[in-house]
Amino acid sequence: MHATLAFPSHWMAPLNPARKKAAEHATAWLRRMGALEDRGARKRLAALNLPLFGGAPFPYASTETLDLAMRFAALATLHDDEAERTGVSWADEVALALESHLASDRGRFLPAWADLGRAWRGRMSPRWCCRHAEHMHRWLATVEEEVHVRRSPVTLDEHMALRAVTAGMLPTLDLLEVVLGFELLAQHHEHLLHRELVSIACRLVAWTNDLASVEADDAKGLPNAVALLARERNVSLRRAARLAEDECCALVAEFDRLEPDAEVLGAPHPAWRRAARHAVYGFAAWHAAADRYRKTGAALALTVAEAAE
């Protein structure tokens, strides 16, 4: 069984040519920070396909900023895996570490977060750093919440409300300002249109993640949007996957429908919207190709393609 996510051509972008070198640098950094000391972390990193993980969502980042983006993406994924396994997310400690207020040496990823926080503070404004720390705290606190509630019966709406946060797109979108080389103004972030665009991007990545994770979630007895959709609509998993495809297409169309209205945001917001499209598409391409999700004999294989005009 296959699911295909179709994107308009203006959402698609080539892979970043610096992806392999940046992945090598990010991996060496993780090793120096002590994040790869156990075999499980090294195995998970290998399955991550780091060059694609960073090279697809950030196609036009410079070598320097792509290195930072890959450090963040890899560390966030390893941390997320650990939080899901242990039920402890260290949300408070990570936020403090990012803002240079490291209150505890507990948690083996905290030195890496503190080092990354120093990198952010060296190139981004205090306002950006504070907002990013807040987004990180929200993400990790919700990951911990999801760990503790997901064994209980949930509806699709309840599940997606959590997944839109735990998929990690909110703090990842902060990195667009790093790779673009400019920061959006406070009024951009506060505008309802910007918030709606962020919400759409987060929901798109959440649906993509659950489409790619159907079999893994079922094996672990965890809720999954596609399986919940099949149950609530009383349809087969195959039909539910088609409905999930339709939901993703509708979200892509809604993002584009807001484009004329978003012109009111002025410069440099159009560049951010373009980068957000590339990031969502890039993560979809990664989900379809990474060893983390592609398994022989999988119940559902995810592919991405260009939508017909």
Side-chain angles (χ1 to χ4, degrees), residues 208-223:
T208 300
N209 182 275
D210 274 27
L211 273 165
S213 304
V214 171
E215 186 175 42
D217 288 341
D218 180 66
K220 297 175 183 176
L222 301 178

Side-chain angles (χ1 to χ4, degrees), residues 3-13 200-201 204-205 207-208 211 245 248-253 255-256 276-288 302-309:
T4 300
L5 297 181
F7 290 89
S9 59
H10 63 283
W11 284 67
M12 306 171 82
I200 292 170
L204 267 166
V205 173
W207 274 106
T208 300
L211 273 165
E245 289 178 12
C248 290
C249 287
L251 288 170
V252 167
F255 194 103
D256 282 348
R277 289 185 176 95
H278 292 161
V280 170
Y281 166 75
F283 281 122
W286 170 73
H287 276 95
L302 180 65
T303 58
V304 294
E306 183 175 349
E309 298 292 340

Side-chain angles (χ1 to χ4, degrees), residues 33-307:
M33 292 293 107
L36 299 179
E37 289 181 352
D38 72 273
R39 183 173 178 272
R42 295 192 295 273
K43 183 177 180 181
R44 288 190 295 274
L45 182 66
L48 195 58
N49 193 343
L50 189 53
L52 182 63
F53 193 31
F58 305 107
Y60 300 116
S62 67
T63 301
E64 180 186 7
T65 58
L66 184 61
D67 181 6
L68 289 172
M70 283 201 187
R71 292 183 187 193
F72 169 84
L75 180 60
T77 302
L78 293 174
H79 191 118
D80 180 60
D81 289 344
E82 184 79 1
E84 290 189 358
R85 186 179 66 83
T86 64
V88 179
S89 70
W90 308 104
D92 292 341
E93 289 83 354
V94 170
L96 288 170
L98 287 170
E99 293 194 274
S100 77
H101 305 295
L102 187 57
S104 171
D105 58 0
R106 298 178 302 166
R108 61 195 180 95
F109 297 125
L110 287 180
W113 285 121
D115 190 72
L116 198 53
R118 285 189 287 272
W120 298 145
R121 294 191 301 277
R123 65 187 307 125
M124 308 300 288
S125 71
R127 178 176 57 84
W128 183 95
C129 293
C130 180
R131 186 178 65 252
H132 180 61
E134 290 173 354
H135 288 168
M136 286 293 295
H137 188 277
R138 181 184 174 192
W139 167 53
L140 288 171
T142 309
V143 166
E144 188 167 324
E145 177 188 356
E146 185 182 53
V147 169
H148 293 297
V149 305
R150 64 188 179 185
R151 299 289 179 180
S152 304
V154 294
T155 66
L156 176 61
D157 288 345
E158 291 169 339
H159 172 74
M160 288 306 296
L162 289 172
R163 292 298 292 130
V165 180
T166 60
M169 194 59 176
L170 184 59
T172 302
L173 286 172
D174 293 335
L175 270 64
L176 296 186
E177 295 170 73
V178 176
V179 302
L180 287 169
F182 63 78
E183 295 185 25
L184 295 178
L185 301 175
Q187 54 261 41
H188 289 137
H189 287 285
E190 294 164 3
H191 201 287
L192 290 177
L193 276 172
H194 178 81
R195 292 185 178 186
E196 180 59 21
L197 292 169
V198 168
S199 174
I200 292 170
C202 290
R203 283 179 282 159
L204 267 166
V205 173
W207 274 106
T208 300
N209 182 275
D210 274 27
L211 273 165
S213 304
V214 171
E215 186 175 42
D217 288 341
D218 180 66
K220 297 175 183 176
L222 301 178
N224 177 282
V226 181
L228 288 169
L229 188 58
R231 186 186 72 188
E232 293 187 7
R233 300 285 183 88
N234 194 28
V235 297
S236 67
L237 194 64
R238 183 186 300 273
R239 174 57 181 159
R242 299 289 87 77
L243 293 173
E245 289 178 12
D246 293 342
E247 177 66 21
C248 290
C249 287
L251 288 170
V252 167
E254 179 65 10
F255 194 103
D256 282 348
R257 187 189 68 77
L258 293 174
E259 181 65 27
D261 294 337
E263 290 300 325
V264 72
L265 295 170
H269 205 271
W272 182 93
R273 297 195 296 276
R274 182 168 57 253
R277 289 185 176 95
H278 292 161
V280 170
Y281 166 75
F283 281 122
W286 170 73
H287 276 95
D291 292 343
R292 182 182 175 91
Y293 298 103
R294 292 178 65 89
K295 299 182 185 299
T296 303
L300 188 149
L302 180 65
T303 58
V304 294
E306 183 175 349

